[in-house]
Amino acid sequence: MESNSGGSLVANHLCVLVHGLWGNPNHMKQVATAIRAAYPEDELHLLLAKRNSGNFTYDGIELGGERVCLEIEEEIEAIRRKGGNITKLSIVGYSLGGLVSRYAIGLLYAKGVLDKVEPVNFTTFATPHLGVRAPLRGWYDSIWNRLGARILSESGRQLFIVDKFRDTGKPLLSILADPESIFIMGLKKFKRRTLYSNIVNDRTVVHYTSMITKTDPYGDLTKIKTNYVKGYEDVILDQTNPFEPLAPIGSKPTISSVAAHSLSYAKNGPYVLALAIFLPIGITAFLLNSVVQTVRSSRRIQRHENGQAGIQIEKYRMPIWMKELQGTVEDVYENLNNSQKQAYLTASDDDGIAGSLSLADIIDLERQQSQPHLPTLALAPCQFTMIQSLDSVGWRKYPVWIHKVRHTHAAIIVRAEKASFSEGFVVLKHWLNEEFLM
């Protein structure tokens, strides 16, 4: 991996790779290898962000974004001191790394860095742009999403959108998507914004959030016909027309169809049995580790806030609203989330999901627009607002169907060298051949 990072002083384009939760630079190894195969060292300089490695990803999106911003500034300055000159910048975020990258972009914008370099590509792979809150209702929502928010320290609260960012009274993810924030202003400066989203079997980041959408048409793949991008068949779906609904079939079950279903259950038998035995043990160990890591994370955050972590935080705590910048006057987790069935809004729903009139208006509007054949997910009001704001920026969105593994989150970027992750190479090939701009 070290041979793929860096670049020659001739290269003027810096591409930054940001890993996800519990990750490290090695998770981006195949992404870096694919980039280097397409663009040699004299064309592109590579930086694999490392300050958020491992359990440091518990520390929250804000702190993670500050660390990545610092790494980018240090890299640009180090290249300059050696005689090089970076004039273009691209950023790639995987999973949580996409959110950390969006925060860092806002800081780079506010600090004037994006005025000195040309922002070219911003790409995310399986990033929870809308958080990881499961679209549930009633007591499922009260228990499930609140429990999940407490097992990943500050990052957990932010991902489940139950935090209050600074003095805004709003979740950090809402601020990241606010049209008047430095984060959206910075995002707009990139020439191209592209995202890739697993349509099924991503037990860490489900489709709706990585696709920035309020619907999920891929709940039953037997009811649709998928349309693929030519040359990337069976993996990359067409971004403008990814699927077509199939006519309903009213035929009764046959002996052969029943036998096929039975065989499927039989094949899954050992897997289900293993889950029944080891899942309780795994959950207990995971929760215990979460408690330990939350305590450690809290201590790191405290040291960071006190300026004892090697970062001068006053350089990264600028106003987040554009009007404040212009005026300058006012100073488990994986399988757990996947086990829940997504809930939807219907025209007759009225269960007090909103907490104020404005929020109620949002839900009422979404409820009216919900269609029986493609129902609107029961998202939080702030998530609907995020979708509207993020979509206004403009994205090139690609649904991805990975078939070979039960858990596609790691496969989409070939996070490990496994034969079953091979379809991830198709994703990387499409991105570099069709989307990446130099």
Side-chain angles (χ1 to χ4, degrees), residues 42-303:
D42 60 354
E43 293 184 24
L44 191 70
H45 195 101
L46 274 178
L47 168 64
L48 283 77
K50 59 186 178 183
R51 286 181 183 261
N52 289 316
S53 296
N55 293 322
F56 278 57
T57 53
Y58 276 89
D59 299 346
I61 295 166
E62 177 185 23
L63 203 160
E66 292 173 356
R67 289 169 178 158
V68 169
C69 180
L70 175 60
E71 284 193 72
I72 293 173
E73 290 180 297
E74 288 178 340
E75 188 72 8
I76 292 175
E77 177 61 18
I79 294 170
R80 187 193 66 79
R81 288 178 179 175
K82 294 176 182 177
N85 184 32
I86 295 298
T87 60
K88 297 181 179 181
L89 176 66
S90 292
I91 301 179
V92 182
Y94 164 62
S95 193
L96 177 65
L99 295 175
V100 170
S101 297
R102 282 174 50 198
Y103 195 98
I105 286 170
L107 297 181
L108 293 169
Y109 174 82
K111 291 166 71 67
V113 176
L114 299 188
D115 294 325
K116 301 174 184 177
V117 299
E118 178 186 4
V120 185
N121 306 284
F122 177 62
T123 306
T124 63
F125 296 93
T127 285
H129 290 284
L130 309 179
V132 298
R133 173 190 175 274
L136 305 172
R137 308 181 61 198
W139 68 271
Y140 290 104
D141 171 62
S142 300
I143 295 177
W144 193 256
N145 287 314
R146 284 162 176 73
L147 174 63
R150 285 160 176 78
I151 60 176
L152 295 174
S153 187
E154 187 65 20
S155 294
R157 289 187 286 273
Q158 292 169 351
L159 287 170
F160 280 89
I161 55 177
V162 299
D163 65 306
K164 295 292 186 290
F165 181 63
R166 295 189 190 173
D167 59 353
T168 65
K170 298 180 180 179
L172 180 143
L173 292 189
S174 289
I175 304 303
L176 274 183
D178 191 292
E180 299 299 320
S181 72
I182 57 176
F183 308 108
I184 288 295
M185 294 299 179
L187 201 56
K188 285 181 176 179
K189 291 184 72 71
F190 282 79
K191 271 189 174 182
R192 177 164 291 181
R193 292 160 297 275
T194 307
L195 65 80
Y196 291 85
S197 168
N198 285 313
I199 65 172
V200 291
N201 295 331
D202 192 324
R203 298 197 289 267
T204 301
V205 178
V206 294
H207 176 69
Y208 87 86
T209 183
S210 57
M211 193 68 175
I212 312 178
T213 181
K214 58 187 177 182
T215 61
D216 185 359
Y218 306 105
D220 187 347
L221 293 169
T222 64
K223 295 182 179 180
I224 61 172
K225 174 186 176 295
T226 49
N227 300 318
Y228 294 100
V229 177
K230 186 177 181 181
Y232 305 93
E233 284 83 3
D234 295 333
V235 178
I236 307 294
L237 276 62
D238 183 78
Q239 64 165 329
T240 57
N241 184 33
F243 71 93
E244 298 170 11
L246 294 174
I249 300 175
S251 59
K252 296 181 179 180
T254 63
I255 295 177
S256 59
S257 65
V258 171
H261 280 292
S262 300
L263 181 59
S264 175
Y265 282 118
K267 288 181 177 179
N268 287 327
Y271 177 72
V272 173
L273 180 60
L275 279 180
I277 296 172
F278 295 110
L279 189 58
I281 300 173
I283 291 176
T284 301
F286 175 74
L287 292 176
L288 289 174
N289 182 64
S290 295
V291 172
V292 173
Q293 296 306 332
T294 295
V295 172
R296 291 179 177 175
S297 176
S298 297
R299 292 173 179 170
R300 284 195 300 270
I301 293 172
Q302 188 63 43
R303 289 197 299 271

Side-chain angles (χ1 to χ4, degrees), residues 20-42:
L21 187 66
W22 303 307
N24 58 70
N26 196 53
H27 283 183
M28 307 298 285
K29 176 181 178 180
Q30 295 303 327
V31 180
T33 300
I35 293 174
R36 186 54 76 215
Y39 302 103
E41 290 187 352
D42 60 354

